[in-house]
């Protein structure tokens, strides 16, 4: 069995073993925290089950498509709205991953052809939210005989989360929100240096400008944890890789606020 996650980089893990007819097993995989926002595919392929040709190849592959939501480090989001000729038809809502409404405005709230700006406070960090704008007459707010309305949702740094106006019933975007005071995945990515890779004996792990201690877990290609430990911030550390077999490993490095997973090749 092999699987891969297709994005800007692809990882393939192979599992070799014997299963009887009708048996199943769970293959644990490392946590992937470095997938960029956008569309990705999880691909599973089977070949030569139990060392012989498969009599039925029709079900030897499976693909699961999924999206990674964009992330923003912000405590508020700013909703800007320019209504069309029928402002009373416009409504919107912001809900969390549990479906609880964080903030919203019903129809008959807004006047015609009028600009509005509303500040929405984010109640919880490290959470996903879905913003939805709706038009009760199913013709959006732009563009045509009923006016040229528009809207945008921005974070506190004036970065666009979504811009629009042309839709029918509604349109939505799902995004995650991180604590702007915490260490983000991006900063952790640039604060940890692993070398050499490929590695024969000692893997050097350098921590620079990391204000928290870092824990690590080392996984083999079966998703089994083979080592774990703690690393002191702003120091260099050595991880003995000579005791492990040649192959591919994954090291997950985590703080209290973020984590990353890196592929290590053991020669």
């Amino acid at each position: 069995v092999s699987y891969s996650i297709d994005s800007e980089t692809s990882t393939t893990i192979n599992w070799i073993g014997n299963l009887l007819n009708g048996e199943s097993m769970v293959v644990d995989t490392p946590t992937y925290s470095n997938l960029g926002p956008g569309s990705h595919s999880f691909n599973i392929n089977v070949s030569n089950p139990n060392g012989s040709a498969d009599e039925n190849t029709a079900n030897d592959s499976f693909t699961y498509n999924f999206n990674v939501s964009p992330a923003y480090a912000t405590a508020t989001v700013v909703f800007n709205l320019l209504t069309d000729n029928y402002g009373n038809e416009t409504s919107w809502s912001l809900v969390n991953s549990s479906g609880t409404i964080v903030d919203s405005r019903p129809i008959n709230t807004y006047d015609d052809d009028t600009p509005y700006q509303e500040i929405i406070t984010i109640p919880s960090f490290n959470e996903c939210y879905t913003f939805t704008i709706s038009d009760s007459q199913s013709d959006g707010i732009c563009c045509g005989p009923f006016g040229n309305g528009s809207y945008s949702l921005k974070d506190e740094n004036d970065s666009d989360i979504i811009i629009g106006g042309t839709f029918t019933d509604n349109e939505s975007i799902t995004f995650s929100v991180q604590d702007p005071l915490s260490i983000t995945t991006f900063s952790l990515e640039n604060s940890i240096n692993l070398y050499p890779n490929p590695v024969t004996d000692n893997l050097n792990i350098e921590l620079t400008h990391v204000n928290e201690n870092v824990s690590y877990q080392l996984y083999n290609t079966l998703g089994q944890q083979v080592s774990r430990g703690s690393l002191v911030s702003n120091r260099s550390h050595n991880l003995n890789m000579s005791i492990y077999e040649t192959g591919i490993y994954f090291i997950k490095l985590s703080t209290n606020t973020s984590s990353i997973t890196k592929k290590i090749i053991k020669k």
Side-chain angles (χ1 to χ4, degrees), residues 11-23:
T11 300
T12 301
I13 293 180
N14 296 304
W15 174 79
I16 300 174
N18 293 317
L19 291 175
L20 298 177
N21 184 32
E23 285 189 323

Side-chain angles (χ1 to χ4, degrees), residues 70-82:
Y72 300 89
T74 185
T76 60
V77 290
V78 182
F79 175 60
N80 295 293
L81 172 67
L82 174 62

